[in-house]
């Protein structure tokens, strides 16, 4: 029976909280603590990075102030490993870790580091913790593989003597008793490493979208600048990219050229190396954590290639122009082949725009209103860019309803809902469902397309007059 359990600190590893419990429980022997905390305690190897199977009693204490999902996301290392896995593998790994069962460890992309890994700490964070809390703890963000510094204090992380390995003998070691009192700080002067480490940490703390299906290599490829792409738009100039990469991350851990190739071909998912490419290509934290839908990128690539062929232009020029039109507010008014390209783009996007508008208007549930913002979002275009494509713009404008037109569709929907649910029809029920005022219904009644419903609503309105 657990009588008390220490509260978890910000960004503390779950393992660290349990180790502090062990230290405070006064149990001289480790075996007593493990039988409180772990199922099959005697056989358990407490996991530093992730989770074990806990007793119901321990689970109650662990989730006393927060949901299990949040605890796992904020207090274990899993967000550092699974973000860029293929969709199904990502989902299986998350489900495995949440249930503490299954072979989630094999599903994750855990780098095979040559040397034995130890729990790391930042001397300056330790000093601050001791001042603030009277003790220190194992910080989660310091354990990200290959991370060597604390960006907050711009100093190097130090290794403790506690190994992170299932090969070492099992144990629960808290930070306070395993970090020396006298600490030396080694300052890091590499600006790139400080900025990149902050980038990795910021990405790690963003939510992970389990439904994204776009492979990370494909996304990175779509962000390659023209200097790394050959004329056909297909073959990457990977050796040039790799040279720039090595120069940029001088003095930091780097991958082999073959590993980089495998990332672009969607065979490897190491978070640190993927983020190195992403940071080098100046992809923002928002972009790398909110990947677009797969179809968008593929459709664009095919579109650019066909345009390049048709106008006998280099793929890179086409891609640059299209990106300028779609991704910045600047529009060149030059004539000639480039101007033709804008028109061509307009034509090419039109069917997609029509499809999206139809989908909004024919939505089965409660009616939705067409708007520029909605179409842009579905196409994954930045704000106001659709205005630069005249035919697309006109088509959307034609389908934007006046308020009474939209209300009329809402009324039709509400009447159908009430009929479906076998509820008596009256104006107050329609008002409640649609959030409209009686006056709004009166204004919109003549816009109702379905004649039967229109008459019915007129009748309901006339009852109120009597
Ligand atoms: Zn620090």
């Amino acid at each position: 029976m657990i009588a008390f359990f220490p509260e978890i600190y910000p960004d503390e590893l779950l393992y660290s909280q349990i180790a502090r419990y062990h230290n405070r429980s006064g149990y001289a022997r480790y075996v007593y603590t493990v039988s409180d905390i772990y199922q099959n305690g005697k056989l358990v190897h407490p996991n530093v990075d992730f989770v074990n199977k806990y007793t119901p009693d321990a689970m109650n204490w662990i989730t006393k102030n927060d949901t299990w999902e949040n605890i796992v996301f904020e207090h274990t290392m899993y967000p550092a490993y699974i973000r860029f896995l293929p969709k199904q593998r990502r989902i299986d790994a998350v489900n495995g870790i949440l249930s503490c069962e299954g072979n989630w460890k094999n599903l994750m992309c855990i780098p095979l580091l040559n040397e034995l890994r130890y729990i790391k700490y930042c001397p300056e964070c330790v000093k601050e913790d001791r001042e603030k809390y009277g003790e220190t703890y194992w910080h989660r963000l310091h354990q990200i593989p290959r991370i060597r510094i604390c960006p907050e204090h711009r100093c190097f992380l130090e290794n403790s003597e506690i190994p992170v390995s299932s090969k070492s003998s099992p144990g629960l070691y808290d930070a306070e008793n395993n970090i020396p009192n006298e600490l030396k700080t080694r300052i890091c002067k590499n600006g790139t490493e400080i900025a990149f480490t902050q980038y990795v940490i910021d990405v790690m703390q963003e939510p992970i979208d389990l439904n994204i299906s776009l492979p990370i290599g494909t996304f990175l490829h779509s962000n390659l600048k023209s200097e790394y792409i050959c004329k056909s738009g297909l073959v990457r100039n990977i050796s040039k990219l790799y040279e720039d990469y090595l120069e940029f991350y001088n003095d930091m851990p780097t991958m082999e050229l073959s590993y980089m190739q495998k990332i672009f071909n969607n065979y490897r998912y190491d978070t640190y190396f993927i983020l190195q490419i992403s940071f080098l290509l100046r992809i923002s934290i928002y972009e790398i954590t909110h990947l677009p839908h797969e179809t968008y990128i593929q459709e664009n690539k095919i579109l650019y290639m066909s345009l390049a062929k048709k106008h006998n232009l280099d793929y890179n020029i086409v891609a640059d122009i299209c990106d300028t039109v779609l991704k910045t507010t600047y529009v060149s008014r030059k004539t000639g082949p480039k101007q033709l390209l804008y028109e061509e783009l307009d034509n090419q996007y039109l069917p997609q725009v029509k499809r999206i508008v139809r989908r909004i208007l024919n939505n089965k549930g409660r009616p939705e209103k067409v708007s520029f913002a909605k179409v842009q979002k579905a196409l994954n275009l930045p704000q106001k860019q659709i205005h630069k494509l005249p035919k697309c713009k006109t088509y959307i404008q034609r389908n934007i309803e006046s308020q009474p037109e939209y209300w009329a569709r809402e009324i039709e929907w509400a009447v159908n809902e009430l009929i479906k649910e076998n509820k008596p029809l009256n104006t107050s029920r329609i008002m409640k469902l649609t959030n409209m005022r009686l006056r709004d219904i009166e204004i919109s009644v003549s816009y109702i397309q379905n004649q039967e419903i229109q008459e019915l609503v007129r009748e309901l309105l006339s009852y109120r007059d009597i």
Side-chain angles (χ1 to χ4, degrees), residues 122-126 142 150-155 157:
C122 157
E124 293 300 310
C125 286
V126 169
H142 298 157
C150 166
E152 199 186 323
H153 295 107
R154 297 170 169 245
C155 63
L157 300 171

Side-chain angles (χ1 to χ4, degrees), residues 48 88 96 109 117 133-134 248 281 308 372 400 437 452 457:
V48 174
Q88 196 51 49
C109 183
R117 199 154 63 87
Y133 305 110
F248 189 77
L281 298 177
F372 281 108
I400 293 180
R437 295 166 305 172
E452 261 175 76
V457 176

Side-chain angles (χ1 to χ4, degrees), residues 26-146:
Y27 284 144
R29 289 183 58 199
Y30 167 74
V31 285
Y32 295 127
T33 302
V34 294
S35 66
D36 276 352
I37 302 284
Y38 303 106
Q39 287 194 11
N40 301 322
K42 278 179 200 150
L43 303 168
V44 138
H45 198 293
N47 196 312
V48 174
D49 287 328
F50 304 108
V51 298
N52 294 93
K53 194 121 179 96
Y54 305 104
T55 61
D57 190 18
M59 202 60 172
N60 277 339
W61 283 99
I62 291 169
T63 56
K64 200 176 124 211
N65 297 319
D66 208 344
T67 61
W68 176 235
E69 284 80 5
N70 286 351
I71 299 279
V72 172
F73 186 73
E74 287 168 21
H75 298 281
T76 78
M77 296 306 300
Y78 101 86
Y81 295 95
I82 68 144
R83 183 177 295 276
F84 301 117
L85 292 177
K87 184 177 171 186
Q88 196 51 49
R89 204 169 137 186
R90 190 185 326 136
I91 292 172
D92 291 345
V94 171
N95 288 338
I97 197 164
L98 285 176
S99 66
C100 309
E101 271 168 2
N103 68 339
W104 47 267
K105 267 185 245 174
N106 295 341
L107 292 167
M108 288 196 205
C109 183
I110 299 176
L112 294 166
L113 301 174
N114 292 332
E115 73 271 34
L116 193 58
R117 199 154 63 87
Y118 295 89
I119 308 185
K120 289 177 284 182
Y121 62 90
C122 157
E124 293 300 310
C125 286
V126 169
K127 285 181 203 161
E128 282 183 13
D129 292 342
R130 283 175 171 161
E131 223 158 78
K132 196 168 171 189
Y133 305 110
E135 64 177 341
T136 187
Y137 55 94
W138 300 123
H139 288 240
R140 183 179 69 124
L141 295 174
H142 298 157
Q143 317 308 326
I144 301 174
R146 299 194 189 86

